[in-house]
Amino acid sequence: MTHPDLTLLRTPPKAPTTLRWTGTALDLLDQTRLPQEVTYRRCEDGEAVREAIVTLQVRGAPAIGLAAAWGLALAMGEKDDLEPNAWRSALEAAADRLRSARPTAVNLAWALAQQLKAIDGAGLSGAPGRALLTETAARLQSEDERVCATLGAYGASVIPDGARILTHCNAGALAVAAWGTATAPMYHMQAEGRPFKVFADETRPVLQGARLTAFELAQAGIDVTLITDSMAAHLMSRGEIDLVIVGTDRVTANGDVVNKIGTLSVAIAAKHFSIPFWVACPLSTYDPATAEGSDVPIEERAPEEVTHLGGQRIAAQAPVRNPAFDVTPAALVTGGIITEAGIARPPVGAALAELTAS
Amino acid sequence: MTHPDLTLLRTPPKAPTTLRWTGTALDLLDQTRLPQEVTYRRCEDGEAVREAIVTLQVRGAPAIGLAAAWGLALAMGEKDDLEPNAWRSALEAAADRLRSARPTAVNLAWALAQQLKAIDGAGLSGAPGRALLTETAARLQSEDERVCATLGAYGASVIPDGARILTHCNAGALAVAAWGTATAPMYHMQAEGRPFKVFADETRPVLQGARLTAFELAQAGIDVTLITDSMAAHLMSRGEIDLVIVGTDRVTANGDVVNKIGTLSVAIAAKHFSIPFWVACPLSTYDPATAEGSDVPIEERAPEEVTHLGGQRIAAQAPVRNPAFDVTPAALVTGGIITEAGIARPPVGAALAELTAS
């Protein structure tokens, strides 16, 4: 596979930036206020970053990891004068504190481990140690940007001009440093000046599509139309959707795709109407150690996500099921899986194994 | 086809009654306050009934028609002393006034026409005319009950014990005088003491499933679990749903089913997982004059239904599509269409033509 042209992606996307390092502080786009308000929370120490993670002001696994990496640099701000051993202990404690913000987010632990590895590799402490933490955070952020930008270029290469694209949930710029995963091909096509249109599923119960995807695409000047999840099949039946592209939380060895609840429903409808179904994700999401989707436990979340909205009850008193994810079998991924190493075409499980082996 | 046993249906369903005639007034369950409050609005004249229809305190085409039929009797309450011609003119004016409450609801006009036909057939006016209006309203209401009860008995005959039933929107007791259409087989099975379980799709954007179906089934003591629309396919993939049953707004000559947006999505998923998909409706819903579903215009409703809930904005500023209905092709109605004359098995278009010809 030839490497895609990334020239266009030197321009940042027009969507609001999720994380912004000022040189002395981290500005985080407060996602709890979206879409009503675009406000940034300025974090000047590690505790502020931790609180932003706990309160979901920053969400999306990659964005949480990057926030924590910057947070660790901030947490060491007043500690330049400590002896090397004391500095290293303080670093460990600060990392533990940040890690506890959302213990299940893999990228959070991963980003902090990268920081500790860099420090231990260089054997630094004090002010030079802190400078390295800042450097490493910046490197992780630009790696995330590069991976997403590459996904975008590969993705754009398989989307026809004028395509009407359906997406589900938010695998967007707001979940990462820039570009997003499922949205990266859209930003790439926009930069190329190519025409296309997006339909965003609202994504009940948490409304990531209505609140975040519709928001970031509209802000970026992309032609986006919001629909409820139940309207996707109807639009497909009327010939109004040409392809589907979504992100994913995990791809298993056989190519099954674990993603936000509702993805399976869209994939089945796409198959019914012979509409290509694509997935875009970094290779870090590929989990060859898990055989298939049915091996992945599906988290059931609080019933209030379904029965309440904005503090108001919107449903009758009745038992509720609230699975947060579903499994789209590899056979329904009829387009392919777009990664930074190229595109895995069906059968996607075998193709992913080949891409990562090379 | 043998006639079903309706003995059980002499007991009214345990769900709250939609319309209740007191002898001198009409009590309407105020559906705008559901599910938070179960309150009845007492209507003592025609204007009160009209206002209840306009403000959606009563909804569901059959229920609106019945409310108007009772409303016409109430509207003539102070007019017993009028001369026959003046009485007939006043009746016409009162019917016009009620008809204007929701000009597009077919059952509203139909029920008022039944009233005028009864009066003109009997040549009555004054107090005897008014008594006939009350009698006719009562007759229309018991016909509606009988039709739904019969649907229920036929439907229950094809549902296995222990079935886990998925339904979409509210084709329930709250839309009619009693029993509902899609819910009638559930109430019948409950009366028979047979075990079953219901999953109710919340039915975005207007949440008829969350607010009304979950409410009426829970009130009736039926085992109902609320899910978002996007969860239906996931539950099917896990073997947790045995059959689907929905109502319909119109069935075209070829057997296509026009129903609440989201029905098509459920039907496609049911087909994918080989789960029977059933429709329950009175024969008055069958429209042999329209060839197929694509001939039926799909109403696009206000974007605020998608972007707002309880007066609060829940979505980003972006264009919205809001089709209120979709078309499920006859081929996806794999169970059949349950009517008061019996069950139309696939191919359902031909079977309906046969049922109505006999």
Side-chain angles (χ1 to χ4, degrees), chain A residues 26-46:
Chain A
L26 180 66
D27 285 350
L28 291 174
L29 178 61
D30 184 349
Q31 301 200 28
T32 61
R33 302 213 177 179
L34 293 179
Q36 282 79 9
E37 286 177 50
V38 180
T39 49
Y40 283 84
R41 169 171 187 164
R42 173 148 301 177
C43 301
E44 296 183 321
D45 54 35

Side-chain angles (χ1 to χ4, degrees), chain B residues 3 9 12 23 71 77 84 110 129 136 170 192 200 209 223 229 246 248 273 275 291 304 319 324 343 356:
Chain B
H3 197 72
L9 302 166
W110 176 85
T136 306
N170 178 256
E192 289 179 305
D223 178 356
D229 306 326
V246 298
T248 171
F273 292 110
I275 292 165
E304 288 72 24
I343 295 171
T356 48

Side-chain angles (χ1 to χ4, degrees), chain A residues 35-36 202 204 210-211 215 224-226 230-231 240 262 265 268 273 309 312-316 319-322, chain B residues 35-36 202 204 210-211 215 224-226 230-231 240 262 265 268 273 309 312-316 319-322:
Chain A
Q36 282 79 9
E202 67 174 2
R204 283 284 290 151
R211 295 190 301 109
F215 169 78
V224 58
T225 298
L226 176 64
S230 65
M231 291 170 192
E240 297 191 43
S265 188
I268 292 170
F273 292 110
L309 212 68
Q312 283 184 294
R313 174 170 273 279
I314 59 169
V320 167
R321 286 288 295 277
N322 186 15
Chain B
Q36 282 79 9
E202 66 174 3
R204 282 283 289 152
R211 294 190 301 109
F215 169 78
V224 58
T225 298
L226 176 63
S230 65
M231 292 170 193
E240 297 191 43
S265 189
I268 292 170
F273 292 110
L309 212 68
Q312 282 183 296
R313 173 169 276 277
I314 59 169
V320 167
R321 287 287 295 279
N322 186 16

Side-chain angles (χ1 to χ4, degrees), chain A residues 285-309:
Chain A
T285 310
Y286 173 50
D287 174 20
T290 301
E292 51 177 63
S294 60
D295 297 333
V296 179
I298 300 294
E299 176 190 2
E300 287 262 350
R301 292 174 57 83
E304 288 72 23
E305 286 186 354
V306 174
T307 55
H308 288 71
L309 212 68

Side-chain angles (χ1 to χ4, degrees), chain A residues 191-224:
Chain A
E192 289 179 303
R194 294 170 57 200
F196 65 100
K197 180 175 169 51
V198 181
F199 287 98
D201 277 353
E202 67 174 2
T203 317
R204 283 284 290 151
V206 184
L207 296 171
Q208 292 92 339
R211 295 190 301 109
L212 306 179
T213 303
F215 169 78
E216 72 166 76
L217 296 180
Q219 287 280 313
I222 288 175
D223 178 355
V224 58

Side-chain angles (χ1 to χ4, degrees), chain B:
Chain B
M1 179 159 303
T2 55
H3 197 72
D5 173 20
L6 298 180
T7 323
L8 290 162
L9 302 166
R10 287 177 195 150
T11 320
K14 289 180 191 160
T17 308
T18 311
L19 315 96
R20 219 160 42 189
W21 178 248
T22 67
T24 55
L26 180 66
D27 285 349
L28 291 173
L29 178 61
D30 184 349
Q31 301 199 26
T32 61
R33 303 213 177 179
L34 292 179
Q36 282 79 9
E37 287 175 51
V38 180
T39 49
Y40 283 83
R41 170 173 185 161
R42 174 149 298 179
C43 301
E44 297 183 320
D45 55 36
E47 269 316 292
V49 173
R50 183 177 189 279
E51 194 191 281
I53 296 172
V54 167
T55 59
L56 309 182
Q57 290 175 318
V58 59
R59 41 65 60 192
I64 288 171
L66 295 173
W70 290 114
L72 192 60
L74 289 170
M76 298 307 285
E78 311 278 294
K79 302 194 170 73
D80 286 357
D81 299 337
L82 292 178
E83 293 304 305
N85 280 347
W87 192 89
R88 184 63 182 72
S89 298
L91 180 71
E92 189 80 44
D96 288 350
R97 178 86 186 131
L98 280 161
R99 199 182 293 110
S100 70
R102 285 190 76 183
T104 53
V106 172
N107 293 57
L108 172 53
W110 176 85
L112 294 166
Q114 296 292 107
Q115 288 283 37
L116 296 180
K117 205 170 109 188
I119 290 295
D120 292 342
L124 293 178
S125 68
R130 185 155 66 86
L132 181 59
L133 292 171
T134 307
E135 245 170 64
T136 306
R139 176 173 59 78
L140 293 175
Q141 181 155 338
S142 44
E143 273 172 20
D144 180 80
E145 285 176 21
R146 188 189 54 79
V147 164
C148 290
T150 311
L151 290 180
Y154 278 123
S157 74
V158 297
I159 299 177
D161 275 356
R164 293 154 307 169
I165 306 168
L166 176 72
T167 191
H168 188 77
C169 197
N170 178 256
L174 293 170
V176 297
W179 308 106
T181 55
T183 56
M186 304 172 194
Y187 292 120
H188 190 99
M189 287 178 77
Q190 182 186 36
E192 289 179 305
R194 294 171 55 200
F196 65 101
K197 180 173 167 53
V198 181
F199 288 98
D201 277 353
E202 66 174 3
T203 316
R204 282 283 289 152
V206 183
L207 296 170
Q208 291 93 341
R211 294 190 301 109
L212 306 178
T213 304
F215 169 78
E216 72 166 76
L217 295 180
Q219 287 279 312
I222 288 175
D223 178 356
V224 58
T225 298
L226 176 63
I227 58 172
T228 68
D229 306 326
S230 65
M231 292 170 193
H234 170 69
L235 292 183
M236 289 180 189
S237 77
R238 301 273 154 147
E240 297 191 43
I241 290 174
D242 299 305
L243 63 95
V244 180
I245 184 166
V246 298
T248 171
D249 292 82
R250 196 184 326 193
V251 181
T252 57
N254 70 337
D256 286 355
V257 172
V258 182
N259 193 39
K260 184 60 57 196
I261 189 75
T263 305
L264 173 60
S265 189
V266 171
I268 292 170
K271 174 85 174 179
H272 183 80
F273 292 110
S274 302
I275 292 165
F277 183 91
W278 294 91
V279 176
C281 64
L283 283 174
S284 59
T285 310
Y286 174 50
D287 174 20
T290 302
E292 52 178 60
S294 60
D295 297 334
V296 179
I298 301 294
E299 176 190 3
E300 287 262 350
R301 293 174 56 84
E304 288 72 24
E305 286 186 353
V306 174
T307 56
H308 288 69
L309 212 68
Q312 282 183 296
R313 173 169 276 277
I314 59 169
Q317 297 277 0
V320 167
R321 287 287 295 279
N322 186 16
F325 302 96
D326 60 27
V327 176
T328 297
L332 295 180
V333 185
T334 52
I337 299 184
I338 301 158
T339 77
E340 71 272 30
I343 295 171
R345 296 275 186 177
V348 291
L352 277 178
E354 203 174 306
L355 269 185
T356 48
S358 62

